[in-house]
Amino acid sequence: MVKLNFIWNLSRLKKRILGLVIDTIFIVVSFYGAYWVRIGTITNFSNPYNHYIVVITLFITLVVFSKLGLYRAILRYLTFHALAVISLGTVVSAFSISVLAFYFDSSLPRSVPIIYGSFLCILCGGSRLTVRALVSEANSKSRRRVLIYGVGAAGRQLALALKNSDSHKVIGFIDDDKTLENNVVMGLLVSPVELVSKLTEKYKVEQILLAVPSANRSRRRQILDSLVHLPVEVLTIPDMKDIVSGKAKIDEFQDVEIADLLGRDCVEPEQCLMQKNIKGKVVMVTGAGGSIGAELCRQIIKSQPRTLILFELSEFALYKVDRELSSKLASDPSLAVELVPLLGSVQGFQRLSTTMKSFKVQTVYHAAAYKHVPLVEFNVVEGVRNNVFGTYSAAKAALEAQVESFVLISTDKAVRPTNVMGTTKRVAELGLQALASGKHSVQNSTRFSMVRFGNVLGSSGSVIPLFKQQIENGGPITVTHPDIIRYFMTITEAAQLVIQAGAMAKGGDVFVLDMGEPVKITDLAVNLVQLSGLEVKNEENPYGDIEIKYSGLRPGEKLYEELLIGKNVSITDHPRIMTAKERFLPFEEFEELLEKLDKACCCYDQDLIRDLLLSAPTDFAPSDKIGDLVWNQLQGSSPIKNKVIH
């Protein structure tokens, strides 16, 4: 290998000169070798014309090889095109011997050109293939050995892309199609899934590349379940739409999407519902810079509203989402949407009312909220102000501006809450239900509805990015409790279902999204570790890579979440959307509750705030003491002693 490295380090000119010298030797050896094979001796090779034939043939052959580009070919990337060039050059060289022998009236036997051509092709082509094989074998030690799952078009394209890769070496294909078992595709053996463990161990495979872009999520979940136990990293190719559009290359591998682990197939959105409250209308999204709000905006512009108002408190978040959407609109002339980025707090009634009246807003999606459970436990007053009074201010402004539809983004934590955040969201629901009852002075021309769902993948504060970061850092992964479970859905599906649910609203509706089966967070963490090609470190496997540590439930956190308060639930025309009829406060009683909450918040009376939240029909059952710092200072105790930090 040292000698080969010396050769690779030569300049291109020196490499071409070396190739000319070696081919010169091959041509001379092939000529005399062919004569010797035919005659049995070269002692009678005394005719001077035979030497002229050798010299002229040598010149012609080298010129032909050079003109055909043989010396421009890089040996380590040698293809069959180079072999075709050698074959064509050999034919020309052999033919030139025949012509020259006839011209010089040489006594050269007629079979010599044929034997010569065979020798020259074997020497020139075989030597190059040998060098290429040696280089490939030497480089394979530093390349990752991979298996490709799927022998479809995507799998074959991937194998072709990696054929001359400096970073990956494809060992073979894996596929569950029995008709392809033990067949050879592109020089690679197709093995059944049952043998993947043996192949991984035998060839020291480091990665398995999923090349099944057309498979649905339930099918991908089955595939991952069959691979997750292996000590290899599992990656996937980009979406075929991105590959076709040029946004991604087939060999740009990605981590397996968490949605694939859930195995939940998305239901195609119904376009009539997606467009009912949006197309050609003025739409406003509060909290537009948040994860849910931003995804709502992305889905909304696809349905072509006349104007989309981005209402956000954070300047940076507003700038970010406005820039993203503006770029998307600029790249797609068919989307003629006016974007209006507005800074403001949902607690400012006048700001909201003026905005809705000035732009004649027709649809509002209220996504603005403080939603991180431990943070709201530490900031009770701000949580109540933003989630309760902010929602009510936005709803009353919508009512005053005669907005057609107002949709509240709620949460599963509002059902029998054990924390302040969930309780404030339930009180916000009560406010919309009270306004929807119509028993107040303002004429009710607005359809109020609320959509309740669980965790979404990729939202701010989601455990998934945290787990991935902890794995990259070498662990440990922190999970609050070994038995904690959560509902999950993709952020795109959640936004689409929110829009469709709002389109079905009649007034006061509580919509509940079908979240599928709950997921055990510990199992999710284990799968992420294993899909990264690592092992979980525990008592059974003390030499593993990543340890999972349990930090204890955070303030106000539950082991499991619910979506329904009662059992009075009805199906809708959409398979993933249900509607629930739940108890609510009459308008006068809700106004009285708000007045008391306002006074308690102004005085920072934490005990009174908790008593009021407990007295409301929210089923609030706090699991921790009051965690607000102001209350703890007044009590002369530390929040740490009150179990608000774990």
Side-chain angles (χ1 to χ4, degrees):
M1 275 311 299
V2 176
K3 295 180 179 179
L4 286 178
N5 287 334
F6 168 73
I7 294 174
W8 299 143
N9 293 330
L10 293 175
S11 65
R12 291 299 307 158
L13 178 60
K14 291 181 179 179
K15 288 179 181 178
R16 290 177 182 177
I17 293 173
L18 181 62
L20 286 168
V21 171
I22 292 174
D23 284 345
T24 298
I25 296 172
F26 286 161
I27 292 168
V28 174
V29 169
S30 297
F31 187 85
Y32 287 104
Y35 190 89
W36 176 77
V37 168
R38 174 64 181 83
I39 303 299
T41 179
I42 58 174
T43 55
N44 297 327
F45 203 72
S46 57
N47 190 336
Y49 291 118
N50 289 338
H51 300 296
Y52 296 156
I53 293 172
V54 173
V55 173
I56 297 173
T57 300
L58 174 63
F59 176 77
I60 292 174
T61 306
L62 293 179
V63 170
V64 170
F65 279 166
S66 181
K67 291 294 184 182
L68 291 175
L70 179 61
Y71 301 113
R72 293 194 299 271
I74 301 175
L75 286 181
R76 72 183 74 184
Y77 304 127
L78 193 70
T79 62
F80 284 102
H81 173 73
L83 297 180
V85 167
I86 292 173
S87 301
L88 179 59
T90 299
V91 171
V92 173
S93 182
F95 181 73
S96 67
I97 290 178
S98 300
V99 172
L100 290 170
F102 176 78
Y103 179 78
F104 288 113
D105 194 21
S106 172
S107 59
L108 199 70
R110 298 175 185 175
S111 58
V112 167
I114 299 174
I115 301 172
Y116 161 80
S118 302
F119 283 178
L120 183 60
C121 189
I122 292 172
L123 287 173
C124 289
S127 62
R128 283 170 168 81
L129 288 176
T130 301
V131 173
R132 179 185 175 226
L134 290 173
V135 173
S136 178
E137 183 63 27
N139 290 338
S140 65
K141 296 179 180 179
S142 61
R143 290 189 293 172
R144 288 188 172 184
R145 296 168 176 262
V146 301
L147 288 169
I148 297 176
Y149 195 110
V151 198
R156 295 194 300 273
Q157 288 179 39
L158 179 59
L160 185 62
L162 296 179
K163 190 171 185 180
N164 296 315
S165 170
D166 290 330
S167 57
H168 294 79
K169 180 181 180 181
V170 182
I171 300 301
F173 287 105
I174 310 168
D175 205 290
D176 54 2
D177 188 346
K178 298 298 181 182
T179 61
L180 297 173
E181 190 174 319
N182 294 323
N183 286 334
V184 176
V185 177
M186 299 180 63
L188 299 169
L189 183 66
V190 182
S191 303
V193 181
E194 293 78 15
L195 295 180
V196 66
S197 183
K198 292 182 179 179
L199 291 172
T200 300
E201 184 178 355
K202 180 179 179 181
Y203 296 103
K204 295 181 173 58
V205 173
E206 298 178 61
Q207 292 179 339
I208 295 179
L209 308 177
L210 298 186
V212 284
S214 60
N216 57 32
R217 287 220 165 95
S218 58
R219 173 64 188 134
R220 293 171 76 87
R221 169 68 184 273
Q222 293 175 358
I223 294 173
L224 290 173
D225 286 343
S226 66
L227 303 176
V228 73
H229 66 283
L230 299 172
V232 296
E233 186 179 12
V234 181
L235 299 174
T236 182
I237 64 172
D239 188 87
M240 192 54 70
K241 293 180 181 177
D242 294 333
I243 296 174
V244 173
S245 64
K247 294 180 181 178
K249 297 180 181 179
I250 195 166
D251 56 350
E252 291 179 350
F253 310 126
Q254 303 171 345
D255 290 335
V256 173
E257 294 184 14
I258 303 302
D260 294 337
L261 288 176
L262 303 180
R264 175 184 169 91
D265 291 319
C266 293
V267 175
E268 283 296 319
E270 299 180 18
Q271 290 304 313
C272 59
L273 293 177
M274 291 292 291
Q275 296 179 355
K276 182 178 178 181
N277 288 343
I278 296 174
K279 189 173 179 63
K281 295 188 176 185
V282 180
V283 181
M284 178 176 175
V285 177
T286 66
S291 50
I292 296 293
E295 184 61 33
L296 279 170
C297 293
R298 296 184 194 104
Q299 299 298 323
I300 287 169
I301 62 173
K302 293 180 182 179
S303 296
Q304 299 184 343
R306 185 168 74 252
T307 305
L308 175 57
I309 300 172
L310 312 173
F311 196 85
E312 172 61 50
L313 178 62
S314 167
E315 180 190 20
F316 175 72
L318 181 61
Y319 165 77
K320 188 177 178 182
V321 69
D322 178 48
R323 185 177 180 183
E324 177 192 339
L325 297 177
S326 297
S327 176
K328 188 171 185 178
L329 292 173
S331 63
D332 190 350
S334 64
L335 298 175
V337 181
E338 179 188 8
L339 287 181
V340 182
L342 295 179
L343 283 169
S345 169
V346 291
Q347 298 177 45
F349 173 79
Q350 290 300 330
R351 173 66 164 159
L352 289 166
S353 180
T354 302
T355 298
M356 293 181 189
K357 289 178 180 177
S358 300
F359 289 95
K360 295 181 174 56
V361 175
Q362 295 164 280
T363 303
V364 174
Y365 294 97
H366 183 65
Y370 291 151
K371 63 180 183 178
H372 296 282
V373 172
L375 291 182
V376 177
E377 288 294 310
F378 271 102
N379 301 275
V380 174
V381 174
E382 295 305 317
V384 171
R385 286 287 186 195
N386 197 66
N387 294 355
V388 176
F389 290 96
T391 301
Y392 198 62
S393 294
K396 289 195 72 173
L399 203 58
E400 190 174 282
Q402 296 186 338
V403 170
E404 296 174 6
S405 176
F406 185 99
V407 182
L408 167 66
I409 313 301
S410 190
T411 171
D412 57 354
K413 294 176 178 61
V415 178
R416 281 179 277 276
T418 59
N419 52 70
V420 175
M421 192 284 286
T423 308
T424 57
K425 293 296 285 185
R426 177 57 186 145
V427 175
E429 291 181 357
L430 292 174
L432 262 64
Q433 289 173 310
L435 288 174
S437 65
K439 298 177 181 178
H440 45 80
S441 58
V442 183
Q443 183 180 0
N444 193 349
S445 59
T446 304
R447 295 190 310 275
F448 291 104
S449 61
M450 51 228 83
V451 185
R452 192 185 289 160
F453 55 92
N455 298 276
V456 291
L457 300 172
S459 67
S460 61
S462 174
V463 298
I464 308 304
L466 175 62
F467 286 172
K468 288 185 175 181
Q469 185 63 49
Q470 290 174 335
I471 291 173
E472 288 180 8
N473 295 337
I477 290 180
T478 54
V479 179
T480 55
H481 194 281
D483 298 322
I484 193 168
I485 61 173
R486 288 291 182 266
Y487 291 96
F488 285 99
M489 71 182 345
T490 65
I491 195 168
T492 300
E493 183 184 15
Q496 291 174 348
L497 291 175
V498 165
I499 293 172
Q500 293 174 89
M504 293 190 289
K506 298 176 182 177
D509 309 77
V510 177
F511 292 107
V512 180
L513 303 186
D514 177 8
M515 300 290 295
E517 295 297 322
V519 178
K520 196 172 182 180
I521 301 299
T522 302
D523 293 343
L524 193 60
V526 170
N527 286 337
L528 284 173
V529 171
Q530 293 177 333
L531 288 174
S532 300
L534 304 172
E535 295 182 357
V536 176
K537 182 180 180 181
N538 50 32
E539 292 181 358
E540 291 78 18
N541 186 21
Y543 301 106
D545 304 293
I546 304 293
E547 184 180 5
I548 297 178
K549 288 188 175 181
Y550 299 102
S551 57
L553 292 175
R554 298 177 298 176
E557 192 171 37
K558 293 197 293 186
L559 279 178
Y560 61 94
E561 302 290 356
E562 304 168 89
L563 290 168
L564 295 172
I565 294 175
K567 296 183 179 180
N568 194 359
V569 62
S570 305
I571 60 173
T572 66
D573 294 333
H574 196 287
R576 292 281 171 87
I577 301 175
M578 300 173 288
T579 182
K581 291 184 179 180
E582 297 175 349
R583 67 176 187 258
F584 62 92
L585 279 176
F587 177 74
E588 293 78 11
E589 292 184 27
F590 185 78
E591 286 273 290
E592 183 180 348
L593 173 64
L594 279 191
E595 185 177 349
K596 293 178 180 178
L597 270 176
D598 185 35
K599 291 179 180 178
C601 288
C602 288
C603 299
Y604 276 82
D605 190 337
Q606 302 288 334
D607 288 312
L608 182 55
I609 292 174
R610 173 160 287 197
D611 289 340
L612 290 171
L613 295 178
L614 286 167
S615 65
T618 60
D619 296 317
F620 180 33
S623 59
D624 290 272
K625 296 180 180 180
I626 297 174
D628 193 289
L629 294 176
V630 175
W631 185 86
N632 281 284
Q633 289 171 2
L634 291 174
Q635 296 294 317
S637 60
S638 167
I640 298 178
K641 294 179 181 179
N642 285 296
K643 287 179 59 183
V644 290
I645 297 180
H646 294 277

